[in-house]
Amino acid sequence: MYTTLIQVRTIRYHHIADELRSRVQSGVYASGRLLPSESELSSEFSMSRVTVRKALELLRDEGLVDSRQGFGWFVAGEPVRQPLGRLATIEDQMRASGMTPERHVLEFAFEKAPRDVARALGTPNVLRVLRINLADGEPFAVVTVWCAAERGQHLSRADVERTPFYELLDVPLEGATQTIAADAATKSEATHLNVPEGAPVLRCRRVTTGSDGKPVLVSHHVFPGHRTEFVVDLPSAEPSIAPSGLRLVE
Amino acid sequence: MYTTLIQVRTIRYHHIADELRSRVQSGVYASGRLLPSESELSSEFSMSRVTVRKALELLRDEGLVDSRQGFGWFVAGEPVRQPLGRLATIEDQMRASGMTPERHVLEFAFEKAPRDVARALGTPNVLRVLRINLADGEPFAVVTVWCAAERGQHLSRADVERTPFYELLDVPLEGATQTIAADAATKSEATHLNVPEGAPVLRCRRVTTGSDGKPVLVSHHVFPGHRTEFVVDLPSAEPSIAPSGLRLVE
DNA sequence: GTCTGTCGGTTGTGTATACAACTCTAATAC
DNA sequence: GTATTAGAGTTGTATACACAACCGACAGAC
């Protein structure tokens, strides 16, 4: 029997990424620690700077490292766990993780709603609030909330910066439906969240309904993928213990 | 009063990305449709091919387009919605979206578990099954399932390819705890899911417990960000209607 | 002490070029 | 008819170079 040896190309930027990932995971580079500069890595690995960058960008997309122009590349931190089934605000959750929460309203405007929002709220005239949640001074989430203008006219910008919408609204709430997806950060999200465009984010869309079953709030929450993860308790699908809203998917 | 005009640099690859995104969203390029080649776009926009690629990669990270080496860039498809609170399998969900589900076992091995899995299952001796779920012949999810070897020894590879673990297990299930995070696809995930390394994925980790409250299964599910999203019903936090497992986060 | 500007070094964007790896079509051989 | 190969065109990786935008440290002015 005859065999053939073939020379297979190895992808150089993967080698760099693998080596750097290994150093981070073994603790050589601790959380928050600055990595060697692109130029230094280029010398160390005898590869062009573009190849080094390609490796670093791969690791950034994994959430393992991050960069600031002019400053350098550094190891990113640990995600905050947000239980979906627990009565806690984002701020409560940050405090439980030992972080200092902050909330800033970026935009507060009465305007015409996007079509899907208008359809959900039953009116195109809405109050839109764009706000950012910070944890220890760092961006944690960008949140856009829409409510009908009729309701929003009673709310001040200072109100919504100080107090969650749910506590401000004059209507009892029945619940919400939320979608959770992974996506790449858009330019403006990236700017607000201080992550690169294209970085993985959790994109949540929520419609909150009042006790009459009608939507009263639509909100979009965007979290950097490396900063948070959700936890869900999924009770068994056995009829005797099934709760009203949840089932085991698989 | 005097003012100063400053010339601000515009980032060229964003212009290309914005234009292409607009064409996709307006239907000029339909779902699945091949885009102009990099070379053609380079001519059209009078920019270097590297700049064109940067724009296309941005859109790929958004899940809007995808590429195959040698074939070209094309518009990607629509995500499948997976309710977390519904008694349905991944396969049921695909069928509901008009797709044909398939399931293939890639690896079936008795081995030593990773530390966290060993700790959860109470033993390092496990059966690990790596499988891929396809929708219409396209990769939809990569799933790794671990169960104790004691239990797994009664299961054949054909068993787990044909039937979900939950139906195969000889123990009543109480429920599961699942985390949901956004991350960038690793090299091997990317290969199995036919997405580029670094593309956004939903990474779910699940621990399924038996009726005695002990974990019987650990599983990791990875979904390409552009292929699926989760839907959760979040009943209100009002004490009178709060279910056992879920609360409104905010 | 604070404020401003400079400098060296850093990351981010962009061009040109080259070659590897892949895809599809058409031509040729059987 | 099928199978194979060549060629043109495509995306993917990599180098070299250049410049923009940013950062932090330091020096000088007040």
Side-chain angles (χ1 to χ4, degrees), chain B residues 96-146:
Chain B
S97 300
M99 293 171 175
T100 307
E102 282 176 72
R103 160 198 300 236
H104 298 302
V105 172
L106 302 177
E107 286 167 32
F108 181 98
F110 291 90
E111 62 192 26
K112 299 299 182 189
R115 202 155 38 170
D116 57 324
V117 173
R119 194 165 47 228
L121 294 178
T123 174
N125 303 305
V126 294
L127 166 64
R128 177 179 62 87
V129 176
L130 176 66
R131 78 165 192 260
I132 183 162
N133 288 72
L134 307 181
D136 287 338
E138 297 296 326
F140 183 78
V142 172
V143 181
T144 310
V145 185
W146 290 271

Side-chain angles (χ1 to χ4, degrees), chain A residues 6 39 61 63 69 98 138 156 158 196 213 217 228 240:
Chain A
I6 57 170
S39 173
D61 289 346
Q69 184 171 347
E138 297 295 327
S156 73
L217 281 186
T228 199
S240 58

Side-chain angles (χ1 to χ4, degrees), chain B residues 14-82:
Chain B
H14 285 171
H15 290 296
I16 306 180
D18 290 346
E19 173 60 31
L20 295 179
R21 189 185 297 109
S22 171
R23 290 181 191 174
V24 171
Q25 292 176 344
S26 65
V28 176
Y29 302 143
S31 184
R33 160 81 191 276
L34 206 53
L35 270 60
S37 73
E38 293 174 5
S39 174
E40 282 164 348
L41 291 172
S42 178
S43 297
E44 179 185 337
F45 290 99
S46 301
M47 297 185 204
S48 80
R49 194 182 138 220
V50 173
T51 307
V52 167
R53 284 190 62 79
K54 187 87 176 172
L56 287 166
E57 279 162 4
L58 188 63
L59 293 179
R60 177 163 55 192
D61 288 348
E62 291 176 20
L64 198 65
V65 301
D66 205 355
S67 67
R68 263 179 35 226
Q69 184 173 347
F71 178 69
W73 291 81
F74 49 91
V75 182
E78 273 287 317
V80 174
R81 291 165 69 90
Q82 295 191 64

Side-chain angles (χ1 to χ4, degrees), chain A residues 106-183:
Chain A
L106 302 176
E107 287 167 32
F108 182 99
F110 291 90
E111 63 192 24
K112 298 298 181 190
R115 203 153 38 166
D116 57 324
V117 173
R119 195 166 45 226
L121 295 177
T123 174
N125 303 305
V126 294
L127 165 65
R128 176 179 63 85
V129 176
L130 176 66
R131 80 163 191 261
I132 183 161
N133 288 73
L134 306 182
D136 286 338
E138 297 295 327
F140 184 77
V142 172
V143 181
T144 310
V145 186
W146 290 271
C147 74
E150 190 178 75
R151 220 163 233 138
Q153 67 186 338
H154 305 295
L155 306 176
S156 73
R157 182 171 173 146
D159 284 339
V160 301
E161 183 146 282
R162 186 178 47 230
T163 309
F165 258 92
Y166 291 140
E167 292 174 30
L168 291 173
L169 291 178
D170 59 350
V171 54
L173 302 177
E174 178 183 90
T177 300
Q178 174 164 319
T179 63
I180 304 172
D183 201 357

Side-chain angles (χ1 to χ4, degrees), chain A residues 92-103:
Chain A
D92 285 345
Q93 218 37 222
M94 290 185 210
R95 276 188 274 261
S97 300
M99 293 171 174
T100 307
E102 281 175 73
R103 159 199 299 236

Side-chain angles (χ1 to χ4, degrees), chain B:
Chain B
M1 184 175 94
Y2 296 100
T3 63
T4 307
L5 277 181
I6 59 170
Q7 188 87 0
V8 179
R9 183 189 196 185
T10 62
I11 309 298
R12 298 156 77 82
Y13 73 84
H14 285 171
H15 290 296
I16 306 180
D18 290 346
E19 173 60 31
L20 295 179
R21 189 185 297 109
S22 171
R23 290 181 191 174
V24 171
Q25 292 176 344
S26 65
V28 176
Y29 302 143
S31 184
R33 160 81 191 276
L34 206 53
L35 270 60
S37 73
E38 293 174 5
S39 174
E40 282 164 348
L41 291 172
S42 178
S43 297
E44 179 185 337
F45 290 99
S46 301
M47 297 185 204
S48 80
R49 194 182 138 220
V50 173
T51 307
V52 167
R53 284 190 62 79
K54 187 87 176 172
L56 287 166
E57 279 162 4
L58 188 63
L59 293 179
R60 177 163 55 192
D61 288 348
E62 291 176 20
L64 198 65
V65 301
D66 205 355
S67 67
R68 263 179 35 226
Q69 184 173 347
F71 178 69
W73 291 81
F74 49 91
V75 182
E78 273 287 317
V80 174
R81 291 165 69 90
Q82 295 191 64
L84 282 175
R86 200 69 54 86
L87 184 59
T89 63
I90 292 181
E91 281 90 351
D92 285 348
Q93 216 40 228
M94 289 186 211
R95 275 188 277 262
S97 300
M99 293 171 175
T100 307
E102 282 176 72
R103 160 198 300 236
H104 298 302
V105 172
L106 302 177
E107 286 167 32
F108 181 98
F110 291 90
E111 62 192 26
K112 299 299 182 189
R115 202 155 38 170
D116 57 324
V117 173
R119 194 165 47 228
L121 294 178
T123 174
N125 303 305
V126 294
L127 166 64
R128 177 179 62 87
V129 176
L130 176 66
R131 78 165 192 260
I132 183 162
N133 288 72
L134 307 181
D136 287 338
E138 297 296 326
F140 183 78
V142 172
V143 181
T144 310
V145 185
W146 290 271
C147 75
E150 191 179 73
R151 225 167 227 129
Q153 67 187 335
H154 305 294
L155 306 177
S156 72
R157 180 171 177 148
D159 284 339
V160 301
E161 184 146 284
R162 188 179 47 232
T163 310
F165 258 91
Y166 291 139
E167 293 174 28
L168 290 172
L169 290 179
D170 60 351
V171 55
L173 302 177
E174 177 183 273
T177 300
Q178 173 164 322
T179 63
I180 304 172
D183 202 356
T186 64
K187 183 178 176 184
S188 96
E189 283 160 2
T191 302
H192 290 130
L193 294 172
N194 196 30
V195 297
E197 280 193 68
V201 291
L202 278 169
R203 186 181 302 286
C204 306
R205 293 188 171 95
R206 185 184 286 178
V207 179
T208 307
T209 51
S211 50
D212 59 357
K214 288 187 185 159
V216 296
L217 282 187
V218 177
S219 52
H220 292 178
H221 306 226
V222 183
F223 303 91
H226 68 282
R227 302 271 355 236
T228 198
E229 62 187 12
F230 291 113
V231 192
V232 192
D233 285 326
L234 299 170
S236 166
E238 301 300 334
S240 59
I241 61 169
S244 61
L246 276 181
R247 295 292 185 275
L248 217 44
V249 169
E250 195 212 355

